[in-house]
Amino acid sequence: MGGGETVLVGVDGGDSGRAALRAAAAYAARGRVRLRAVHVRPGPLPGEWLGWPAMDLYDTSWRDALELDAWLCCTLLLGGQGLEWEFVVTEGRPAEALRERALLDTACAVYVGARVRSRWAARLHRCTATDLARRCPCPVRVIQFAGRGPMTP
């Protein structure tokens, strides 16, 4: 493969994450660089920090399910393509975790998906891609996904 360069892609198992993964895989194949798929596992919820009695309210198996979805998506999309890739899991807020990982890996680029939203929805939704692009040490490629129709692996 290439001269040790790595491209990162944020994956969450969702449609916009799959779109970013496809774009990052195409870039990695052209540039012959390593692809590192990064899944950011959500941190503890406020009630979990406080240690409130759970009563199954704070069932954390959903984190495992998200991680499994992201890994399966990577395996299905990247398997058999001849790419050098790996799946990495980190915890925290997505923009911060991807920025830290980009520094750690000295990434040449970071790919993230972003769902196309109306102006109202965009104001209410905090976009990982926008947060990441502001302070990332390398170029951030935002792959827009309109959300029309099913996207299969």
Side-chain angles (χ1 to χ4, degrees):
M1 289 280 151
E5 288 189 330
T6 301
V7 62
L8 300 181
V9 58
V11 293
D12 60 2
D15 293 335
S16 59
R18 281 194 290 275
L21 184 59
R22 283 190 179 98
Y27 174 81
R30 277 192 315 273
R32 300 189 55 78
V33 298
R34 267 189 310 274
L35 177 65
R36 184 160 292 133
V38 180
H39 174 70
V40 180
R41 194 173 164 96
L45 298 171
E48 293 171 299
W49 278 111
L50 297 171
W52 290 346
M55 294 179 18
D56 291 331
L57 183 62
Y58 293 110
D59 177 18
T60 60
S61 63
W62 61 273
R63 288 187 186 99
D64 298 332
L66 283 176
E67 186 178 322
L68 180 59
D69 283 348
W71 174 83
L72 187 58
C73 177
C74 291
T75 302
L76 292 173
L77 284 173
L78 301 175
Q81 288 195 25
L83 290 174
E84 184 180 341
W85 70 278
E86 73 175 306
F87 182 78
V88 175
V89 178
T90 187
E91 190 173 294
R93 293 182 55 211
E96 292 170 12
L98 287 169
R99 188 172 30 256
E100 288 171 11
R101 193 72 211 199
L103 281 167
L104 180 68
D105 295 343
T106 57
C108 60
V110 178
Y111 281 72
V112 289
R115 185 171 298 279
V116 175
R117 300 180 191 279
S118 69
R119 282 190 174 194
W120 274 110
R123 287 184 180 142
L124 296 173
H125 178 76
R126 185 173 180 152
C127 181
T128 298
T130 304
D131 282 355
L132 180 62
R134 287 185 184 136
R135 293 181 302 235
C136 194
C138 62
V140 175
R141 311 275 190 248
V142 179
I143 308 303
Q144 297 287 334
F145 177 73
R148 293 187 199 107
M151 256 186 107
T152 58

Short mmCIF file of all heavy atoms in Angstrom, two decimals, residues 56-123:
data_model
loop_
_atom_site.label_atom_id
_atom_site.label_comp_id
_atom_site.label_asym_id
_atom_site.label_seq_id
_atom_site.Cartn_x
_atom_site.Cartn_y
_atom_site.Cartn_z
N ASP A 56 -34.27 -0.94 34.18
CA ASP A 56 -34.21 -1.16 32.74
C ASP A 56 -34.38 0.12 31.92
O ASP A 56 -34.51 0.08 30.71
CB ASP A 56 -35.23 -2.20 32.27
CG ASP A 56 -34.87 -3.58 32.77
OD1 ASP A 56 -33.67 -3.85 32.95
OD2 ASP A 56 -35.79 -4.39 32.98
N LEU A 57 -34.39 1.27 32.58
CA LEU A 57 -34.51 2.53 31.87
C LEU A 57 -33.22 2.84 31.12
O LEU A 57 -33.24 3.38 30.03
CB LEU A 57 -34.83 3.66 32.86
CG LEU A 57 -35.05 5.04 32.27
CD1 LEU A 57 -36.26 5.00 31.34
CD2 LEU A 57 -35.27 6.04 33.38
N TYR A 58 -32.09 2.48 31.71
CA TYR A 58 -30.81 2.76 31.10
C TYR A 58 -30.17 1.48 30.56
O TYR A 58 -29.02 1.19 30.81
CB TYR A 58 -29.87 3.45 32.09
CG TYR A 58 -30.36 4.83 32.45
CD1 TYR A 58 -30.84 5.10 33.72
CD2 TYR A 58 -30.36 5.84 31.50
CE1 TYR A 58 -31.31 6.36 34.04
CE2 TYR A 58 -30.83 7.10 31.82
CZ TYR A 58 -31.30 7.36 33.09
OH TYR A 58 -31.75 8.60 33.40
N ASP A 59 -30.94 0.73 29.80
CA ASP A 59 -30.43 -0.47 29.14
C ASP A 59 -29.41 -0.02 28.11
O ASP A 59 -29.71 0.77 27.22
CB ASP A 59 -31.59 -1.20 28.47
CG ASP A 59 -31.13 -2.42 27.70
OD1 ASP A 59 -30.01 -2.90 27.96
OD2 ASP A 59 -31.91 -2.89 26.86
N THR A 60 -28.18 -0.47 28.24
CA THR A 60 -27.10 0.00 27.35
C THR A 60 -26.85 -0.93 26.18
O THR A 60 -25.91 -0.71 25.44
CB THR A 60 -25.80 0.17 28.16
OG1 THR A 60 -25.45 -1.09 28.72
CG2 THR A 60 -25.97 1.21 29.25
N SER A 61 -27.68 -1.94 25.98
CA SER A 61 -27.45 -2.85 24.86
C SER A 61 -27.60 -2.14 23.51
O SER A 61 -27.08 -2.62 22.51
CB SER A 61 -28.40 -4.05 24.95
OG SER A 61 -29.74 -3.62 24.84
N TRP A 62 -28.26 -0.99 23.49
CA TRP A 62 -28.40 -0.26 22.23
C TRP A 62 -27.04 0.20 21.71
O TRP A 62 -26.83 0.28 20.52
CB TRP A 62 -29.35 0.93 22.40
CG TRP A 62 -28.92 1.95 23.41
CD1 TRP A 62 -29.17 1.93 24.74
CD2 TRP A 62 -28.14 3.12 23.16
NE1 TRP A 62 -28.60 3.03 25.35
CE2 TRP A 62 -27.97 3.78 24.41
CE3 TRP A 62 -27.59 3.69 22.02
CZ2 TRP A 62 -27.26 4.96 24.53
CZ3 TRP A 62 -26.89 4.88 22.15
CH2 TRP A 62 -26.73 5.50 23.39
N ARG A 63 -26.09 0.46 22.62
CA ARG A 63 -24.74 0.85 22.19
C ARG A 63 -24.07 -0.31 21.45
O ARG A 63 -23.41 -0.12 20.44
CB ARG A 63 -23.89 1.28 23.38
CG ARG A 63 -24.28 2.59 23.97
CD ARG A 63 -23.25 3.00 25.03
NE ARG A 63 -23.67 4.20 25.71
CZ ARG A 63 -24.28 4.21 26.89
NH1 ARG A 63 -24.53 3.10 27.53
NH2 ARG A 63 -24.63 5.35 27.44
N ASP A 64 -24.23 -1.51 22.01
CA ASP A 64 -23.67 -2.69 21.37
C ASP A 64 -24.30 -2.93 19.99
O ASP A 64 -23.62 -3.29 19.04
CB ASP A 64 -23.86 -3.93 22.24
CG ASP A 64 -23.15 -3.82 23.58
OD1 ASP A 64 -22.13 -3.10 23.66
OD2 ASP A 64 -23.63 -4.43 24.55
N ALA A 65 -25.61 -2.71 19.91
CA ALA A 65 -26.31 -2.91 18.64
C ALA A 65 -25.83 -1.91 17.58
O ALA A 65 -25.62 -2.27 16.42
CB ALA A 65 -27.81 -2.78 18.84
N LEU A 66 -25.62 -0.65 17.97
CA LEU A 66 -25.10 0.35 17.03
C LEU A 66 -23.71 -0.03 16.54
O LEU A 66 -23.39 0.10 15.36
CB LEU A 66 -25.04 1.73 17.68
CG LEU A 66 -26.34 2.50 17.83
CD1 LEU A 66 -26.10 3.80 18.58
CD2 LEU A 66 -26.97 2.77 16.49
N GLU A 67 -22.88 -0.46 17.47
CA GLU A 67 -21.51 -0.87 17.12
C GLU A 67 -21.52 -2.06 16.16
O GLU A 67 -20.79 -2.07 15.17
CB GLU A 67 -20.74 -1.21 18.39
CG GLU A 67 -19.29 -1.51 18.16
CD GLU A 67 -18.56 -1.79 19.46
OE1 GLU A 67 -18.86 -1.14 20.48
OE2 GLU A 67 -17.68 -2.66 19.44
N LEU A 68 -22.37 -3.02 16.44
CA LEU A 68 -22.48 -4.19 15.56
C LEU A 68 -22.98 -3.80 14.18
O LEU A 68 -22.46 -4.28 13.17
CB LEU A 68 -23.41 -5.23 16.19
CG LEU A 68 -23.61 -6.52 15.39
CD1 LEU A 68 -22.27 -7.23 15.16
CD2 LEU A 68 -24.59 -7.43 16.08
N ASP A 69 -23.96 -2.90 14.11
CA ASP A 69 -24.45 -2.41 12.82
C ASP A 69 -23.34 -1.75 12.02
O ASP A 69 -23.20 -1.96 10.82
CB ASP A 69 -25.60 -1.42 13.00
CG ASP A 69 -26.91 -2.07 13.34
OD1 ASP A 69 -27.03 -3.31 13.23
OD2 ASP A 69 -27.84 -1.33 13.73
N ALA A 70 -22.56 -0.92 12.69
CA ALA A 70 -21.46 -0.22 12.01
C ALA A 70 -20.41 -1.21 11.51
O ALA A 70 -19.93 -1.10 10.37
CB ALA A 70 -20.82 0.80 12.95
N TRP A 71 -20.04 -2.18 12.33
CA TRP A 71 -19.05 -3.18 11.93
C TRP A 71 -19.57 -4.02 10.76
O TRP A 71 -18.84 -4.27 9.80
CB TRP A 71 -18.71 -4.09 13.12
CG TRP A 71 -17.81 -5.22 12.72
CD1 TRP A 71 -16.46 -5.17 12.60
CD2 TRP A 71 -18.21 -6.54 12.36
NE1 TRP A 71 -16.00 -6.40 12.17
CE2 TRP A 71 -17.05 -7.25 12.03
CE3 TRP A 71 -19.45 -7.18 12.29
CZ2 TRP A 71 -17.09 -8.58 11.63
CZ3 TRP A 71 -19.49 -8.50 11.89
CH2 TRP A 71 -18.32 -9.18 11.56
N LEU A 72 -20.82 -4.44 10.84
CA LEU A 72 -21.41 -5.25 9.78
C LEU A 72 -21.45 -4.48 8.46
O LEU A 72 -21.15 -5.01 7.40
CB LEU A 72 -22.81 -5.70 10.19
CG LEU A 72 -23.51 -6.68 9.27
CD1 LEU A 72 -22.68 -7.96 9.10
CD2 LEU A 72 -24.89 -7.01 9.80
N CYS A 73 -21.81 -3.22 8.54
CA CYS A 73 -21.83 -2.35 7.36
C CYS A 73 -20.45 -2.30 6.71
O CYS A 73 -20.31 -2.46 5.50
CB CYS A 73 -22.29 -0.96 7.76
SG CYS A 73 -22.28 0.24 6.44
N CYS A 74 -19.42 -2.12 7.51
CA CYS A 74 -18.05 -2.07 6.99
C CYS A 74 -17.66 -3.40 6.35
O CYS A 74 -17.09 -3.43 5.26
CB CYS A 74 -17.06 -1.75 8.11
SG CYS A 74 -17.20 -0.08 8.73
N THR A 75 -17.98 -4.48 7.03
CA THR A 75 -17.62 -5.80 6.52
C THR A 75 -18.31 -6.08 5.18
O THR A 75 -17.67 -6.57 4.24
CB THR A 75 -18.01 -6.88 7.55
OG1 THR A 75 -17.32 -6.59 8.78
CG2 THR A 75 -17.62 -8.26 7.08
N LEU A 76 -19.58 -5.73 5.07
CA LEU A 76 -20.32 -5.98 3.84
C LEU A 76 -19.85 -5.08 2.69
O LEU A 76 -19.75 -5.52 1.55
CB LEU A 76 -21.82 -5.79 4.07
CG LEU A 76 -22.49 -6.83 4.97
CD1 LEU A 76 -23.93 -6.44 5.27
CD2 LEU A 76 -22.43 -8.21 4.32
N LEU A 77 -19.57 -3.82 3.00
CA LEU A 77 -19.17 -2.88 1.94
C LEU A 77 -17.71 -3.03 1.53
O LEU A 77 -17.37 -2.80 0.37
CB LEU A 77 -19.43 -1.44 2.38
CG LEU A 77 -20.88 -0.99 2.35
CD1 LEU A 77 -21.02 0.38 2.97
CD2 LEU A 77 -21.41 -0.98 0.93
N LEU A 78 -16.84 -3.37 2.47
CA LEU A 78 -15.40 -3.36 2.18
C LEU A 78 -14.83 -4.74 1.90
O LEU A 78 -13.76 -4.85 1.30
CB LEU A 78 -14.64 -2.71 3.34
CG LEU A 78 -15.03 -1.28 3.68
CD1 LEU A 78 -14.29 -0.81 4.91
CD2 LEU A 78 -14.79 -0.36 2.49
N GLY A 79 -15.52 -5.77 2.37
CA GLY A 79 -15.01 -7.13 2.17
C GLY A 79 -14.88 -7.45 0.68
O GLY A 79 -15.77 -7.15 -0.11
N GLY A 80 -13.77 -8.03 0.32
CA GLY A 80 -13.56 -8.44 -1.06
C GLY A 80 -13.11 -7.33 -2.00
O GLY A 80 -12.97 -7.56 -3.20
N GLN A 81 -12.88 -6.13 -1.50
CA GLN A 81 -12.45 -5.02 -2.35
C GLN A 81 -10.94 -4.92 -2.46
O GLN A 81 -10.43 -4.11 -3.22
CB GLN A 81 -13.01 -3.69 -1.85
CG GLN A 81 -14.49 -3.53 -2.09
CD GLN A 81 -14.93 -2.09 -1.91
OE1 GLN A 81 -14.14 -1.15 -2.06
NE2 GLN A 81 -16.19 -1.90 -1.61
N GLY A 82 -10.23 -5.71 -1.67
CA GLY A 82 -8.77 -5.65 -1.72
C GLY A 82 -8.18 -4.44 -1.02
O GLY A 82 -7.02 -4.10 -1.25
N LEU A 83 -8.95 -3.79 -0.18
CA LEU A 83 -8.47 -2.62 0.56
C LEU A 83 -7.84 -3.05 1.86
O LEU A 83 -8.25 -4.02 2.49
CB LEU A 83 -9.63 -1.68 0.89
CG LEU A 83 -10.27 -0.92 -0.25
CD1 LEU A 83 -11.49 -0.17 0.27
CD2 LEU A 83 -9.29 0.03 -0.88
N GLU A 84 -6.86 -2.28 2.31
CA GLU A 84 -6.32 -2.45 3.65
C GLU A 84 -7.17 -1.58 4.56
O GLU A 84 -7.18 -0.36 4.44
CB GLU A 84 -4.86 -1.99 3.69
CG GLU A 84 -4.19 -2.21 5.01
CD GLU A 84 -2.74 -1.74 5.03
OE1 GLU A 84 -2.15 -1.59 3.95
OE2 GLU A 84 -2.24 -1.52 6.14
N TRP A 85 -7.94 -2.22 5.45
CA TRP A 85 -8.85 -1.46 6.31
C TRP A 85 -8.95 -2.11 7.67
O TRP A 85 -8.63 -3.27 7.85
CB TRP A 85 -10.23 -1.31 5.68
CG TRP A 85 -11.03 -2.57 5.61
CD1 TRP A 85 -10.95 -3.55 4.67
CD2 TRP A 85 -12.05 -2.99 6.53
NE1 TRP A 85 -11.85 -4.54 4.93
CE2 TRP A 85 -12.54 -4.24 6.07
CE3 TRP A 85 -12.59 -2.44 7.68
CZ2 TRP A 85 -13.54 -4.93 6.73
CZ3 TRP A 85 -13.60 -3.14 8.35
CH2 TRP A 85 -14.07 -4.36 7.87
N GLU A 86 -9.40 -1.29 8.63
CA GLU A 86 -9.67 -1.80 9.97
C GLU A 86 -10.81 -1.02 10.58
O GLU A 86 -11.11 0.10 10.17
CB GLU A 86 -8.43 -1.77 10.86
CG GLU A 86 -8.02 -0.40 11.32
CD GLU A 86 -6.85 -0.43 12.29
OE1 GLU A 86 -6.92 -1.15 13.31
OE2 GLU A 86 -5.87 0.27 12.02
N PHE A 87 -11.44 -1.64 11.57
CA PHE A 87 -12.57 -1.06 12.29
C PHE A 87 -12.10 -0.72 13.69
O PHE A 87 -11.54 -1.57 14.38
CB PHE A 87 -13.72 -2.08 12.33
CG PHE A 87 -14.96 -1.58 12.99
CD1 PHE A 87 -15.82 -0.73 12.33
CD2 PHE A 87 -15.29 -1.98 14.28
CE1 PHE A 87 -16.99 -0.28 12.93
CE2 PHE A 87 -16.45 -1.54 14.89
CZ PHE A 87 -17.30 -0.69 14.21
N VAL A 88 -12.30 0.52 14.10
CA VAL A 88 -11.84 0.99 15.41
C VAL A 88 -13.04 1.58 16.14
O VAL A 88 -13.86 2.28 15.54
CB VAL A 88 -10.74 2.06 15.25
CG1 VAL A 88 -10.35 2.65 16.58
CG2 VAL A 88 -9.55 1.51 14.53
N VAL A 89 -13.11 1.31 17.42
CA VAL A 89 -14.19 1.87 18.25
C VAL A 89 -13.57 2.79 19.29
O VAL A 89 -12.57 2.45 19.92
CB VAL A 89 -14.99 0.75 18.95
CG1 VAL A 89 -16.07 1.35 19.84
CG2 VAL A 89 -15.60 -0.18 17.93
N THR A 90 -14.16 3.96 19.44
CA THR A 90 -13.75 4.90 20.47
C THR A 90 -15.02 5.42 21.13
O THR A 90 -16.11 5.19 20.64
CB THR A 90 -12.89 6.03 19.86
OG1 THR A 90 -12.37 6.84 20.90
CG2 THR A 90 -13.67 6.88 18.89
N GLU A 91 -14.89 6.12 22.23
CA GLU A 91 -16.07 6.60 22.94
C GLU A 91 -16.01 8.11 23.08
O GLU A 91 -14.93 8.69 23.18
CB GLU A 91 -16.14 5.97 24.33
CG GLU A 91 -17.45 6.24 25.04
CD GLU A 91 -17.57 5.47 26.35
OE1 GLU A 91 -17.65 4.24 26.28
OE2 GLU A 91 -17.59 6.13 27.41
N GLY A 92 -17.17 8.74 23.09
CA GLY A 92 -17.23 10.18 23.30
C GLY A 92 -18.21 10.86 22.38
O GLY A 92 -19.09 10.23 21.81
N ARG A 93 -18.01 12.15 22.21
CA ARG A 93 -18.82 12.92 21.27
C ARG A 93 -18.20 12.77 19.89
O ARG A 93 -16.97 12.88 19.75
CB ARG A 93 -18.86 14.39 21.68
CG ARG A 93 -19.62 14.55 23.01
CD ARG A 93 -19.74 15.97 23.46
NE ARG A 93 -20.33 16.78 22.41
CZ ARG A 93 -20.04 18.07 22.24
NH1 ARG A 93 -19.20 18.68 23.03
NH2 ARG A 93 -20.60 18.74 21.26
N PRO A 94 -18.98 12.49 18.86
CA PRO A 94 -18.42 12.14 17.55
C PRO A 94 -17.39 13.12 16.98
O PRO A 94 -16.31 12.70 16.57
CB PRO A 94 -19.66 12.04 16.66
CG PRO A 94 -20.74 11.63 17.59
CD PRO A 94 -20.44 12.35 18.88
N ALA A 95 -17.68 14.40 16.96
CA ALA A 95 -16.74 15.36 16.37
C ALA A 95 -15.41 15.37 17.12
O ALA A 95 -14.34 15.35 16.51
CB ALA A 95 -17.35 16.76 16.32
N GLU A 96 -15.48 15.41 18.43
CA GLU A 96 -14.26 15.43 19.23
C GLU A 96 -13.47 14.13 19.09
O GLU A 96 -12.24 14.15 18.95
CB GLU A 96 -14.60 15.67 20.71
CG GLU A 96 -15.15 17.05 20.98
CD GLU A 96 -15.69 17.18 22.40
OE1 GLU A 96 -15.44 16.29 23.24
OE2 GLU A 96 -16.38 18.18 22.66
N ALA A 97 -14.16 13.00 19.12
CA ALA A 97 -13.49 11.71 19.02
C ALA A 97 -12.83 11.53 17.65
O ALA A 97 -11.70 11.03 17.56
CB ALA A 97 -14.47 10.58 19.29
N LEU A 98 -13.50 11.95 16.59
CA LEU A 98 -12.90 11.83 15.25
C LEU A 98 -11.72 12.78 15.10
O LEU A 98 -10.72 12.44 14.47
CB LEU A 98 -13.96 12.10 14.17
CG LEU A 98 -14.99 10.99 13.98
CD1 LEU A 98 -16.13 11.48 13.09
CD2 LEU A 98 -14.33 9.75 13.40
N ARG A 99 -11.82 13.97 15.67
CA ARG A 99 -10.71 14.93 15.62
C ARG A 99 -9.49 14.37 16.35
O ARG A 99 -8.37 14.41 15.84
CB ARG A 99 -11.15 16.26 16.23
CG ARG A 99 -10.17 17.37 16.07
CD ARG A 99 -10.68 18.74 16.51
NE ARG A 99 -11.67 18.77 17.55
CZ ARG A 99 -12.98 18.99 17.36
NH1 ARG A 99 -13.45 19.18 16.14
NH2 ARG A 99 -13.82 19.02 18.37
N GLU A 100 -9.71 13.80 17.53
CA GLU A 100 -8.60 13.19 18.28
C GLU A 100 -7.99 12.02 17.51
O GLU A 100 -6.77 11.86 17.49
CB GLU A 100 -9.10 12.70 19.64
CG GLU A 100 -9.40 13.83 20.61
CD GLU A 100 -10.09 13.35 21.87
OE1 GLU A 100 -10.15 12.12 22.11
OE2 GLU A 100 -10.58 14.21 22.62
N ARG A 101 -8.84 11.22 16.89
CA ARG A 101 -8.35 10.07 16.12
C ARG A 101 -7.56 10.54 14.90
O ARG A 101 -6.56 9.93 14.52
CB ARG A 101 -9.52 9.19 15.71
CG ARG A 101 -9.14 7.85 15.20
CD ARG A 101 -8.65 7.00 16.35
NE ARG A 101 -7.65 6.09 15.84
CZ ARG A 101 -7.28 4.99 16.45
NH1 ARG A 101 -7.81 4.65 17.59
NH2 ARG A 101 -6.36 4.23 15.93
N ALA A 102 -7.99 11.63 14.27
CA ALA A 102 -7.27 12.17 13.12
C ALA A 102 -5.87 12.63 13.53
O ALA A 102 -4.90 12.42 12.80
CB ALA A 102 -8.05 13.33 12.50
N LEU A 103 -5.76 13.24 14.70
CA LEU A 103 -4.45 13.64 15.22
C LEU A 103 -3.58 12.42 15.53
O LEU A 103 -2.41 12.37 15.15
CB LEU A 103 -4.61 14.48 16.49
CG LEU A 103 -4.98 15.93 16.30
CD1 LEU A 103 -5.40 16.56 17.62
CD2 LEU A 103 -3.83 16.70 15.68
N LEU A 104 -4.15 11.45 16.20
CA LEU A 104 -3.44 10.24 16.59
C LEU A 104 -2.91 9.47 15.38
O LEU A 104 -1.78 9.01 15.37
CB LEU A 104 -4.35 9.34 17.43
CG LEU A 104 -3.77 8.03 17.92
CD1 LEU A 104 -2.69 8.29 18.96
CD2 LEU A 104 -4.88 7.17 18.52
N ASP A 105 -3.74 9.36 14.35
CA ASP A 105 -3.38 8.59 13.16
C ASP A 105 -2.66 9.41 12.10
O ASP A 105 -2.31 8.88 11.06
CB ASP A 105 -4.63 7.97 12.53
CG ASP A 105 -5.28 6.95 13.43
OD1 ASP A 105 -4.64 6.47 14.37
OD2 ASP A 105 -6.46 6.63 13.19
N THR A 106 -2.47 10.70 12.33
CA THR A 106 -1.99 11.64 11.31
C THR A 106 -2.68 11.36 9.98
O THR A 106 -2.06 11.10 8.96
CB THR A 106 -0.45 11.61 11.15
OG1 THR A 106 -0.03 10.28 10.83
CG2 THR A 106 0.24 12.09 12.41
N ALA A 107 -4.01 11.42 10.03
CA ALA A 107 -4.84 11.11 8.87
C ALA A 107 -4.65 12.14 7.77
O ALA A 107 -4.42 13.33 8.03
CB ALA A 107 -6.31 11.07 9.29
N CYS A 108 -4.76 11.67 6.52
CA CYS A 108 -4.67 12.58 5.38
C CYS A 108 -6.04 13.18 5.05
O CYS A 108 -6.11 14.20 4.37
CB CYS A 108 -4.07 11.87 4.17
SG CYS A 108 -5.00 10.44 3.59
N ALA A 109 -7.11 12.56 5.53
CA ALA A 109 -8.47 13.08 5.33
C ALA A 109 -9.43 12.33 6.25
O ALA A 109 -9.15 11.21 6.67
CB ALA A 109 -8.92 12.91 3.88
N VAL A 110 -10.55 12.98 6.54
CA VAL A 110 -11.62 12.36 7.31
C VAL A 110 -12.90 12.49 6.50
O VAL A 110 -13.23 13.58 6.03
CB VAL A 110 -11.82 13.03 8.69
CG1 VAL A 110 -12.98 12.38 9.44
CG2 VAL A 110 -10.56 12.97 9.52
N TYR A 111 -13.60 11.38 6.32
CA TYR A 111 -14.88 11.36 5.63
C TYR A 111 -15.99 11.17 6.65
O TYR A 111 -15.90 10.30 7.51
CB TYR A 111 -14.93 10.21 4.62
CG TYR A 111 -14.20 10.49 3.34
CD1 TYR A 111 -12.82 10.53 3.30
CD2 TYR A 111 -14.90 10.72 2.15
CE1 TYR A 111 -12.14 10.79 2.13
CE2 TYR A 111 -14.23 10.98 0.97
CZ TYR A 111 -12.84 11.02 0.97
OH TYR A 111 -12.17 11.28 -0.20
N VAL A 112 -17.03 11.99 6.55
CA VAL A 112 -18.20 11.85 7.40
C VAL A 112 -19.45 12.08 6.57
O VAL A 112 -19.43 12.84 5.60
CB VAL A 112 -18.19 12.82 8.61
CG1 VAL A 112 -17.15 12.45 9.63
CG2 VAL A 112 -18.01 14.25 8.16
N GLY A 113 -20.50 11.41 6.95
CA GLY A 113 -21.77 11.59 6.27
C GLY A 113 -22.60 12.65 6.97
O GLY A 113 -22.48 12.86 8.17
N ALA A 114 -23.43 13.30 6.19
CA ALA A 114 -24.35 14.30 6.73
C ALA A 114 -25.66 14.20 5.98
O ALA A 114 -25.66 14.19 4.74
CB ALA A 114 -23.78 15.71 6.61
N ARG A 115 -26.72 14.08 6.71
CA ARG A 115 -28.04 14.00 6.10
C ARG A 115 -28.47 15.40 5.67
O ARG A 115 -28.29 16.36 6.42
CB ARG A 115 -29.03 13.43 7.10
CG ARG A 115 -30.41 13.20 6.52
CD ARG A 115 -31.28 12.43 7.48
NE ARG A 115 -30.78 11.10 7.77
CZ ARG A 115 -30.94 10.03 6.98
NH1 ARG A 115 -31.56 10.17 5.84
NH2 ARG A 115 -30.47 8.86 7.34
N VAL A 116 -29.00 15.52 4.47
CA VAL A 116 -29.51 16.80 3.98
C VAL A 116 -30.78 17.11 4.76
O VAL A 116 -31.69 16.30 4.85
CB VAL A 116 -29.79 16.73 2.46
CG1 VAL A 116 -30.44 18.01 1.98
CG2 VAL A 116 -28.52 16.45 1.70
N ARG A 117 -30.81 18.29 5.36
CA ARG A 117 -31.94 18.68 6.20
C ARG A 117 -32.49 20.02 5.75
O ARG A 117 -31.78 20.83 5.16
CB ARG A 117 -31.51 18.78 7.67
CG ARG A 117 -30.97 17.49 8.23
CD ARG A 117 -30.57 17.69 9.68
NE ARG A 117 -29.82 16.57 10.20
CZ ARG A 117 -30.35 15.44 10.62
NH1 ARG A 117 -31.64 15.27 10.59
NH2 ARG A 117 -29.59 14.46 11.08
N SER A 118 -33.74 20.28 6.12
CA SER A 118 -34.31 21.59 5.85
C SER A 118 -33.61 22.60 6.75
O SER A 118 -32.93 22.24 7.71
CB SER A 118 -35.82 21.58 6.16
OG SER A 118 -36.02 21.45 7.55
N ARG A 119 -33.81 23.87 6.48
CA ARG A 119 -33.16 24.89 7.31
C ARG A 119 -33.59 24.79 8.77
O ARG A 119 -32.79 24.96 9.67
CB ARG A 119 -33.47 26.29 6.78
CG ARG A 119 -32.65 26.63 5.59
CD ARG A 119 -32.81 28.09 5.28
NE ARG A 119 -31.87 28.39 4.20
CZ ARG A 119 -31.55 29.58 3.85
NH1 ARG A 119 -32.09 30.60 4.47
NH2 ARG A 119 -30.69 29.79 2.89
N TRP A 120 -34.88 24.55 9.00
CA TRP A 120 -35.36 24.43 10.37
C TRP A 120 -34.71 23.25 11.07
O TRP A 120 -34.25 23.35 12.20
CB TRP A 120 -36.88 24.29 10.41
CG TRP A 120 -37.58 25.61 10.39
CD1 TRP A 120 -38.31 26.13 9.37
CD2 TRP A 120 -37.59 26.58 11.43
NE1 TRP A 120 -38.78 27.37 9.71
CE2 TRP A 120 -38.34 27.67 10.98
CE3 TRP A 120 -37.02 26.65 12.70
CZ2 TRP A 120 -38.56 28.80 11.74
CZ3 TRP A 120 -37.24 27.78 13.47
CH2 TRP A 120 -38.01 28.83 12.99
N ALA A 121 -34.70 22.12 10.40
CA ALA A 121 -34.12 20.91 11.00
C ALA A 121 -32.63 21.10 11.24
O ALA A 121 -32.09 20.65 12.25
CB ALA A 121 -34.37 19.69 10.12
N ALA A 122 -31.96 21.77 10.32
CA ALA A 122 -30.52 22.00 10.48
C ALA A 122 -30.22 22.86 11.70
O ALA A 122 -29.21 22.68 12.37
CB ALA A 122 -29.95 22.65 9.22
N ARG A 123 -31.09 23.80 12.01
CA ARG A 123 -30.88 24.64 13.19
C ARG A 123 -31.08 23.87 14.49
O ARG A 123 -30.46 24.17 15.51
CB ARG A 123 -31.83 25.83 13.16
CG ARG A 123 -31.45 26.85 12.13
CD ARG A 123 -32.35 28.05 12.19
NE ARG A 123 -31.92 29.00 11.17
CZ ARG A 123 -32.73 29.72 10.45
NH1 ARG A 123 -34.03 29.64 10.63
NH2 ARG A 123 -32.27 30.55 9.55
#
